Structure formats: C-alpha cells, structure tokens
Amino acid sequence: MLFVAAAGNGGEDGVGDDNDTVPNSIGNCKVNNVVQVGNITNDGSLHSSSNFGLTTVHVAAPGSDILSTTPNGFYDVLTGTSMASPHVAGVASLILSVNPKLTPMEVRSILMRGVVPMSHLQKKIASGGVVDAAKALAIAKPTPPPPTPSPTLGYPTPRPQETITPMPQETPKVEATNIPTTPPTATPSMSGVPQLRVVDVKLTPRTISAKGGKVKVRLLVENPDAIAYASVLLKHGALKASTTLSLVSRSGTLGVLNGDLKIRFPRSMKKLPSRLTPIATVRGRNGSILSVKLGAITVKRQGR
C-alpha cells in the first residue's frame, strides 16, 4: 500500500522547515511506500509555509488557495501541504488504474520521474519538480507485447490485377432558380443562468485594534438564486482569516449575504499593517467566479 503524506507547514512562525533536519511528517519514516508532498503556489514557487527536504520531500503539488469543503455543507479557500497531498493521491490512483501490478515503490518512482522540473525546487524537493498526471501516466502505461507473426503458407504470391480507371463523365449544369435562403440559427448563450453582480458592500466596523477584532461583512448581490456559494478571505503575511457568507434575505432580484470575519494577529507579526483588504469570492451555479475587493480595514497600532 502506498501512503501519500503532507510535508507539514512549518512551526509557530509559519515558515517552512527542512524535514531532512527536523522530521515533521510520516514521510520521514525510513520506508519505501510513502510519498511526502510539498505545497506550491499558483505561480509554481514553493509556498513560504511549506516544509521541504532534498531527501525526504519527494514531489510538490498545488496547495495554495484551494477550494475545499468545510463542516455543515460549506466551502472555504485553504492553503497548506494537506491541500497539495490529494493531488498526488489522485495521480497515484490514475497510475494504478492503467497498471495495477505496480508496487508502491514503483508508483513512487513514477511520480518522481514524471514531474515537471522547476529550477527553484532543485535544492528543495527530491524530484526537483511538480507532479504531472500526463507524464506519469505515459511512464506507467505497460508496454504491449509484440504481435505474433502469422504463419506463412507456401503458396505463390498472386500477381496484381490491372486497375482500370473509368473515364470521367461531365456533370450536367443545373441553374438554381427561386431557391429560398434560410438564415443561420443563433447559438444560445450559456444556459439562461442569470449573471452575478455585487451591488453594495458594507464592513462594520472598518477600524480594529492591534489585538484584532470581528468585522461584519454584508454584500448586496443581484440574482441571488444564481449563487452556488460565497466566502471572504483576508491574507496579509502570516495573518489569514476567512468566513463563509450566508444568504439571509432576498427581495425581488436582490439578496443579502452576511458573515463575521474574525481577525487575530499572530504574535510572529512584529510589525502590524496599517490597512487590510479582504476579498469576497462568489461562485455561480454556471461555474462563473466573481471576486470583489471589500475596501480597507484600518488597524490601530497602539495598545497591542
């Protein structure tokens, strides 16, 4: 059995550690059936919080700002090596689907050989790259056996018959008269699902203390029935806060979304920001994504 393990997300300082020096995961066990995974951002760089290790962390995968399910049927955008590991587990399952006879060590080897190399990962990750499903499957696919030659009978090879090319015949010309022209049919747009639009944004309060605080988020959205879910994310260095917005009321084509964003500054932040800008993400039932900056929240630096 193959185990896919998250490499870990650093210590209390939120900065990734070297797993070769300080073991942080099951992947540090000296066994051959574990794949340890690091977290890369959407630009391919290793996330600052991701642990690494030139001998213990085998591959990297996308694990930053990943849409994930949360308790009570909600969604959230999360970051960490635990978000990267399922990508690798999925590719490992695909590998075994095309070649079920592979051993766990062979699957790990294919995952590592089938990466997309990244120069900045060469001294951080054992494989030096990001897992790639297409390359891994190309390596994993078993080679078909050579075809069995058909027995040759001792009959003489028949002589090719002469091919007779028919003479081309002239196609009679037909003049079209009074042929009705049918206009082209227009292609329908999307599926008739209304488009989303944020009409108004309200944050209360817009000023918090150096110890943090709770900010109530209110969005007025047009066409609320088209919403799949909505959330708010606030990131600034080691600070991260998020909340899911709930539809609390509607009137005609407008709906009100509410949520509480709880902000707590980590003690590792030596210098507090003067302003914070949370971002709301509203996803539609038709797959559309609407991102809106909610304006600035001022931070009072005194009294921390």
Side-chain angles (χ1 to χ4, degrees):
M1 181 179 293
L2 182 71
F3 293 91
V4 179
N9 306 303
E12 295 182 355
D13 57 358
V15 178
D17 298 324
D18 187 347
N19 282 3
D20 290 355
T21 306
V22 183
N24 285 289
S25 169
I26 188 177
N28 288 91
C29 299
K30 295 182 179 180
V31 291
N32 295 322
N33 63 334
V34 174
V35 179
Q36 194 169 185
V37 185
N39 163 25
I40 62 165
T41 63
N42 55 10
D43 63 1
S45 60
L46 192 69
H47 194 278
S48 59
S49 68
S50 175
N51 289 352
F52 53 90
L54 194 55
T55 61
T56 56
V57 181
H58 303 97
V59 295
S64 303
D65 299 328
I66 303 298
L67 177 65
S68 180
T69 54
T70 57
N72 300 319
F74 293 113
Y75 296 84
D76 200 356
V77 178
L78 304 174
T79 295
T81 54
S82 293
M83 297 292 105
S85 301
H87 290 85
V88 179
V91 176
S93 299
L94 292 174
I95 291 172
L96 289 171
S97 72
V98 299
N99 198 342
K101 295 182 179 181
L102 292 172
T103 66
M105 289 180 290
E106 289 172 331
V107 175
R108 185 174 77 173
S109 174
I110 291 172
L111 286 169
M112 296 178 67
R113 286 186 289 138
V115 298
V116 176
M118 297 285 184
S119 59
H120 54 274
L121 297 179
Q122 297 297 316
K123 296 183 179 181
K124 295 281 189 179
I125 304 293
S127 63
V130 179
V131 69
D132 184 274
K135 293 182 66 175
L137 289 176
I139 298 172
K141 191 174 182 179
T143 303
T148 304
S150 301
T152 303
L153 301 177
Y155 296 110
T157 304
R159 297 178 59 185
Q161 297 181 356
E162 183 181 358
T163 303
I164 301 176
T165 305
M167 295 292 293
Q169 297 182 359
E170 183 179 358
T171 303
K173 296 181 180 180
V174 179
E175 294 185 1
T177 58
N178 299 326
I179 299 178
T181 302
T182 304
T185 304
T187 303
S189 62
M190 298 297 286
S191 58
V193 179
Q195 295 298 309
L196 296 172
R197 188 169 70 92
V198 175
V199 179
D200 186 40
V201 175
K202 186 176 182 181
L203 300 178
T204 310
R206 283 190 173 269
T207 301
I208 61 174
S209 69
K211 295 182 180 180
K214 183 171 70 173
V215 177
K216 290 186 176 295
V217 181
R218 177 186 177 276
L219 298 184
L220 184 62
V221 181
E222 192 173 18
N223 300 317
D225 291 330
I227 298 174
Y229 80 94
S231 62
V232 174
L233 177 65
L234 174 60
K235 292 180 64 176
H236 189 97
L239 168 65
K240 180 179 177 181
S242 61
T243 186
T244 301
L245 300 179
S246 302
L247 182 64
V248 295
S249 65
R250 67 181 70 198
S251 176
T253 61
L254 298 179
V256 177
L257 300 176
N258 274 358
D260 292 336
L261 189 64
K262 297 179 181 179
I263 303 173
R264 293 290 181 269
F265 295 103
R267 293 192 175 277
S268 57
M269 292 186 68
K270 303 301 180 183
K271 184 179 179 181
L272 296 183
S274 59
R275 290 188 175 186
L276 299 169
T277 305
I279 298 176
T281 300
V282 183
R283 291 182 180 260
R285 297 182 184 274
N286 58 2
S288 61
I289 301 177
L290 178 65
S291 294
V292 181
K293 290 185 178 181
L294 302 184
I297 299 173
T298 305
V299 180
K300 291 183 177 180
R301 301 188 185 185
Q302 298 83 6
R304 184 177 186 183

